[in-house]
C-alpha cells in the first residue's frame, strides 16, 4: 500500500506469504500516512514477515482474518504480528505468535471486537488507546509507554477457544463431534 488508500480499497480472500505494509517508506519524501484500506478474509499463517510482523500501518477495517503461527528468526526487539494499526480489528483470530506478541498499538486508537487472541497479547505504546470487547484474550498486556489506556468492554472471556487442531494449523472451532463439517452439519 502507498498510505493513500481509503476504505473503498479492498484486499480480500488472499493467503499472504510474507507481510503487508500500510505505507510506502521508499518514497521520497517518505509517506507517513497509514492506509485506510479494508483487509478481509485473508490468511497470514506460518510467515516470517518483517521479523514476524505480518501486518503494519493499516488503519482501516481488518475483518475475518487469520493470523497464526507467525514467527521470526534472528531479529532483536519486539516484533508483534499486527503492528501500528489503528482502526477496527473484528472477527479475527490471532494465535500462537512467537513470544506471544499479537498486537501492538502505537500512538492512536484501536478497537478489537469479537476476536480470538490465543497465546498472544496486546502491547500499548505511548499514546495508545485500545478498546476490547466480546473477545477471547488473555494477558500479557505490555506497556511500552505512557500515557496509554486499555478499556475492557463487555463480553471478554479467557476460556479455551477449542480450536480443531492447532498442531496441524487448523484454527477452526470444534463442534461437539470435532471439526465443523458444513456438508454434514456437525
Amino acid at each position: 500500500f502507498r498510505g493513500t488508500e481509503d476504505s473503498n480499497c479492498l484486499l480480500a480472500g488472499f493467503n499472504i506469504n510474507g507481510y503487508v505494509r500500510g505505507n510506502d517508506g521508499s518514497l521520497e519524501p517518505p509517506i507517513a500516512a497509514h492506509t485506510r484500506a479494508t483487509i478481509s478474509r485473508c490468511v497470514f499463517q506460518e510467515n516470517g514477515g518483517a521479523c514476524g510482523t505480518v501486518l503494519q500501518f493499516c488503519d482501516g477495517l481488518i475483518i475475518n482474518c487469520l493470523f497464526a503461527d507467525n514467527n521470526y528468526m534472528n531479529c532483536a526487539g519486539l516484533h508483534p504480528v499486527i503492528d501500528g494499526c489503528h482502526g477496527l480489528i473484528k472477527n479475527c483470530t490471532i494465535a500462537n505468535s512467537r513470544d506471544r506478541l499479537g498486537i501492538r498499538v502505537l500512538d492512536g486508537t484501536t478497537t478489537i471486537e469479537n476476536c480470538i487472541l490465543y497465546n498472544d497479547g496486546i502491547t500499548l505504546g505511548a499514546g495508545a488507546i485500545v478498546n476490547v470487547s466480546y473477545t477471547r484474550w488473555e494477558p500479557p498486556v505490555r506497556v511500552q509507554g505512557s500515557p496509554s489506556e486499555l478499556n475492557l468492554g463487555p463480553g471478554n472471556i479467557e476460556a479455551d477457544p477449542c480450536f480443531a487442531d492447532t498442531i496441524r494449523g487448523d484454527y477452526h472451532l470444534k463442534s461437539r463431534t470435532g471439526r465443523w463439517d458444513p456438508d454434514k452439519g456437525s
Side-chain angles (χ1 to χ4, degrees):
F1 291 108
R2 305 279 299 200
T4 58
E5 302 80 12
D6 64 17
S7 62
N8 293 314
C9 180
L10 177 64
L11 177 67
F14 285 93
N15 289 336
I16 307 292
N17 185 12
Y19 67 97
V20 173
R21 185 180 169 116
N23 69 3
D24 189 345
S26 68
L27 296 176
E28 289 296 332
I31 293 177
H34 296 186
T35 187
R36 298 205 183 288
T38 298
I39 299 174
S40 174
R41 298 177 290 107
C42 290
V43 175
F44 299 80
Q45 191 167 10
E46 297 180 6
N47 292 323
C51 289
T53 298
V54 295
L55 184 60
Q56 188 174 38
F57 307 138
C58 296
D59 293 353
L61 174 63
I62 302 165
I63 187 167
N64 299 324
C65 293
L66 172 66
F67 302 85
D69 304 317
N70 293 293
N71 290 302
Y72 58 91
M73 301 298 286
N74 303 321
C75 291
L78 296 176
H79 299 281
V81 173
I82 299 173
D83 190 23
C85 296
H86 306 108
L88 176 60
I89 302 171
K90 184 173 183 175
N91 301 338
C92 292
T93 298
I94 300 129
N96 289 332
S97 305
R98 183 171 178 201
D99 296 331
R100 299 182 69 186
L101 297 174
I103 300 171
R104 178 170 61 177
V105 178
L106 304 172
D107 185 14
T109 301
T110 300
T111 299
I112 302 167
E113 185 178 291
N114 200 34
C115 291
I116 298 172
L117 277 75
Y118 180 75
N119 287 334
D120 276 293
I122 299 170
T123 302
L124 307 173
I129 300 171
V130 179
N131 304 305
V132 182
S133 61
Y134 301 101
T135 292
R136 188 278 176 205
W137 77 291
E138 64 206 44
V141 173
R142 294 177 178 87
V143 178
Q144 287 185 317
S146 64
S148 58
E149 189 177 318
L150 177 64
N151 301 309
L152 299 178
N156 295 311
I157 61 172
E158 290 187 40
D160 184 346
C162 298
F163 291 124
D165 190 351
T166 58
I167 293 174
R168 290 185 179 84
D170 187 349
Y171 288 91
H172 293 89
L173 301 181
K174 286 183 187 177
S175 71
R176 289 187 178 150
T177 60
R179 187 187 187 294
W180 174 258
D181 184 338
D183 296 328
K184 294 179 183 177
S186 64

